Amino acid sequence: MEVNTGLRDAISWLPDEVLGKILSLLPTKHAASTSVLAKKWRHVFRLVHNLDFDDSVLLQPEEWHVIRESFRHFVDRTLALQCGSPINKFSLKLHIHESREMAYLSAWICNALERGVLEMSLSLKRKHELFLPSELLTSKTLVKLTLGTQIYLDKFEPDAYLPALKSLVIDSIVFDGDDLCDVLLSGCPVLEELYVRHENCEGTPFCICSSNIKKLSVYYDFELLRGGMSFDTPSLVSLNYRDYALEEYTYVNLASLVEARLDILYSIRIKDSDLSGLIVGISNVEILHLSPGSADVISRCVEDGLVLPVFKNLVKLYFGSNNKRGWKLLPYLIKQTPKLETLIIQGLEGYAGNATIRPFQVKVDELLKRWIT
C-alpha cells in the first residue's frame, strides 16, 4: 500500500513550473479544482498561464439566474486565485442576456490585459450592441485576437493601436461603419494574418485594406442583390477567398501574391457577375487553386466576354469541375500559363491525379479532351 500511495502522489514531487504547465493543458475548471487539495496547489495554480471559460454548459433553463451567478463567481474566484500572475492565453465564451453583465465582461477582459495576455479569444453573443473596453484595442502585448460571434460592436475610439498584434480573427462581427479598415486594421502595424467570416450580409466589410498583412482568409456565405468587393493588400502573399460571385471587383491590389485559393459560387441573384478585376488581380500568382464552383463561374464570365489575362508566373495549378462548362475553361486557362509545370486535376469522373509538365510544354490528357469536346 505504501508503494501505491507513493506512486499516486509522485506528481506532487515534480517542480512547480512543470506542474503549472501540466495544469495549463487541462480545462480551467479542472485545473482550478486542484487548489482545494493543499496550499501547495494554490501556489501551483498561479503558474497556470492558459485560462478558458465557457458558459455554454450552463444554458439549461432550470434556475437560470442561479446558474449565471455561479458562473460569474467561478470566473471571479479563478482570476483572484492567480493573484495577478502572467497569462499567455485567455478564452471566454459568454452569452450576455442582461446589461449588468457587460461590467463583468469588461472587468474580466481588463484583468487579462493587465497581466500581459498574449492571445485572447472572445466568443460573445448578445442581441444588442456590445461595448468592448477601450483597453482591448490599445494592448501592447496581444499577439493574437479572436472576436466573435454574431455581435454588434459600438463605434471604436480613433486611437486604437495594437503594436504587437500579428493575427486577427473576425467571426460574424458587425462593425460601426468602416471601423474594421479605418480604425482597427490601420492600428495594427505588424499584423500578418487576417481571417474574416460572415454568414449574414449585415455589417459585412466589402473592402479589405491593409498595407502589411501577408495571409488573408475571407469566408462569406450569403448572396447579395448587388455590390462589389475590393482588396487593397499590396503585401499579401496568400489569399483564401470564398464568396458568391459579385457584380464587380472595383479595386484589387495584390502585387505580392504568391498563392491563391478561390471558391467562388454562382449567384442566382446577380446575373451579370464581373470577375475581371479579381482575375487580373491574381494573375501574378505562382500557385492557384480553383474549386469546381470557381471554374463554373469563371467559365460563365468567359462566355459573356471575359478575356483571361496571362498568368506569367503560374507554375502549379489545382483545377476541378463538376460540369462540362467548367472543363471547357481548362484548355483556355492552360494557354494563358506559359510557365505551368504541374497540373493537378480533381473531380474528373471521380478521378484525382497530377501530371508534371515541362516548362512551356503543356498537354491535355486524352480523357480530358473527350470530356470537354
Side-chain angles (χ1 to χ4, degrees):
M1 293 298 292
E2 293 181 2
V3 174
N4 290 337
T5 302
L7 288 174
R8 285 199 302 269
D9 195 43
I11 192 172
S12 297
W13 294 98
L14 293 173
D16 288 354
E17 292 75 11
V18 174
L19 293 175
K21 290 181 179 180
I22 293 174
L23 292 186
S24 293
L25 300 174
L26 300 176
T28 297
K29 62 180 180 180
H30 297 319
S33 65
T34 62
S35 61
V36 303
L37 298 177
K39 291 183 178 180
K40 170 187 172 66
W41 286 96
R42 294 182 186 176
H43 171 72
V44 169
F45 184 67
R46 298 176 190 175
L47 303 177
V48 173
H49 300 311
N50 301 333
L51 300 177
D52 64 276
F53 303 101
D54 183 357
D55 76 339
S56 62
V57 297
L58 308 175
L59 296 181
Q60 298 87 348
E62 301 85 2
E63 299 183 352
W64 177 81
H65 290 286
V66 175
I67 294 175
R68 299 290 298 175
E69 284 298 305
S70 175
F71 177 77
R72 180 176 70 83
H73 288 310
F74 168 68
V75 178
D76 286 340
R77 184 171 64 253
T78 300
L79 294 177
L81 277 171
Q82 291 211 304
C83 301
S85 60
I87 300 179
N88 291 335
K89 298 179 181 180
F90 179 83
S91 174
L92 175 64
K93 295 181 180 180
L94 181 67
H95 294 71
I96 300 174
H97 298 273
E98 300 177 354
S99 297
R100 65 189 181 96
E101 292 178 310
M102 295 288 294
Y104 307 142
L105 170 65
S106 294
W108 297 336
I109 293 175
C110 288
N111 182 288
L113 293 171
E114 291 169 0
R115 294 158 63 178
V117 64
L118 301 177
E119 299 182 17
M120 180 173 288
S121 176
L122 302 175
S123 180
L124 311 171
K125 290 191 177 182
R126 190 175 191 239
K127 293 183 179 180
H128 306 289
E129 282 188 328
L130 183 69
F131 300 90
L132 294 175
S134 58
E135 291 86 349
L136 178 62
L137 300 182
T138 55
S139 168
K140 295 181 180 179
T141 61
L142 271 179
V143 175
K144 182 177 182 179
L145 176 61
T146 299
L147 294 176
T149 58
Q150 302 173 19
I151 57 176
Y152 298 76
L153 292 183
D154 189 41
K155 188 168 184 60
F156 290 162
E157 294 295 327
D159 61 346
Y161 186 61
L162 296 156
L165 194 69
K166 292 185 177 181
S167 177
L168 177 62
V169 178
I170 303 294
D171 188 354
S172 302
I173 299 291
V174 178
F175 291 90
D176 183 272
D178 296 322
D179 273 359
L180 174 60
C181 288
D182 294 348
V183 181
L184 184 53
L185 294 185
S186 63
C188 302
V190 299
L191 187 67
E192 296 180 355
E193 184 174 356
L194 174 64
Y195 176 93
V196 183
R197 179 178 182 271
H198 274 268
E199 294 185 352
N200 188 304
C201 65
E202 184 179 14
T204 300
F206 292 104
C207 176
I208 304 296
C209 178
S210 172
S211 61
N212 46 275
I213 62 171
K214 293 179 172 57
K215 184 176 182 180
L216 173 63
S217 298
V218 176
Y219 180 97
Y220 292 166
D221 193 19
F222 55 85
E223 294 185 66
L224 293 174
L225 291 174
R226 59 179 304 173
M229 183 78 181
S230 296
F231 296 97
D232 187 7
T233 51
S235 300
L236 197 68
V237 174
S238 173
L239 171 65
N240 191 341
Y241 178 44
R242 185 186 192 278
D243 198 355
Y244 281 86
L246 301 175
E247 274 188 317
E248 60 180 342
Y249 292 81
T250 53
Y251 183 76
V252 180
N253 180 6
L254 301 170
S256 303
L257 196 64
V258 174
E259 183 172 6
R261 296 174 180 268
L262 296 186
D263 187 11
I264 309 298
L265 306 176
Y266 175 70
S267 174
I268 60 174
R269 294 187 174 186
I270 299 179
K271 299 298 183 180
D272 300 318
S273 300
D274 183 359
L275 269 64
S276 57
L278 178 63
I279 300 302
V280 171
I282 67 167
S283 62
N284 59 320
V285 294
E286 297 177 14
I287 303 172
L288 178 61
H289 304 251
L290 290 180
S291 70
S294 298
D296 177 73
V297 173
I298 295 173
S299 188
R300 289 173 184 267
C301 291
V302 169
E303 291 173 358
D304 291 337
L306 171 66
V307 177
L308 293 182
V310 175
F311 290 79
K312 58 183 182 298
N313 299 321
L314 191 66
V315 295
K316 193 170 188 177
L317 172 63
Y318 293 79
F319 187 94
S321 179
N322 293 328
N323 56 43
K324 191 172 182 179
R325 179 190 291 111
W327 288 118
K328 285 185 176 181
L329 174 68
L330 185 56
Y332 181 22
L333 182 57
I334 289 176
K335 290 178 182 178
Q336 302 303 101
T337 56
K339 294 184 180 180
L340 188 64
E341 298 176 2
T342 302
L343 171 62
I344 299 177
I345 298 175
Q346 298 169 316
L348 183 58
E349 295 184 332
Y351 167 80
N354 68 78
T356 300
I357 306 163
R358 292 195 302 274
F360 308 102
Q361 294 184 356
V362 178
K363 296 183 179 179
V364 181
D365 185 84
E366 288 300 321
L367 178 59
L368 179 59
K369 285 182 178 179
R370 292 197 298 272
W371 179 269
I372 63 179
T373 56

